[in-house]
Amino acid sequence: MDQILRRWESIDKDDGEEVDNILFEFHRILTAYEWHFSEISDLNIKVLKFYKDKDE
């Protein structure tokens, strides 16, 4: 992520292709983070349900 932000600071913002490439890469990374957080959330729910059902 730091590399992308550093590249963003140094690119020619008038070069549409270069801007698109960096924004696409940034989007790809954010989407991966979003997926990981979603998976962790799903896992937490399963674990909590398991212990809740076990406690009853």
Side-chain angles (χ1 to χ4, degrees), residues 7-54:
R7 277 181 45 210
W8 178 257
E9 292 173 0
S10 65
I11 68 165
D12 177 11
K13 305 297 190 289
D14 293 326
D15 183 350
E17 187 174 334
E18 196 171 6
V19 169
D20 283 349
N21 288 338
I22 289 179
L23 290 177
F24 176 75
E25 187 67 17
F26 187 69
H27 173 58
R28 185 187 66 77
I29 290 171
L30 287 179
T31 302
Y33 278 118
E34 178 185 23
W35 180 83
H36 281 57
F37 285 124
S38 176
E39 290 296 308
I40 290 169
S41 176
D42 291 348
L43 182 60
N44 284 339
I45 289 170
K46 287 178 185 177
V47 168
L48 292 173
K49 278 180 97 175
F50 173 80
Y51 283 109
K52 179 183 174 218
D53 292 344
K54 198 173 182 180

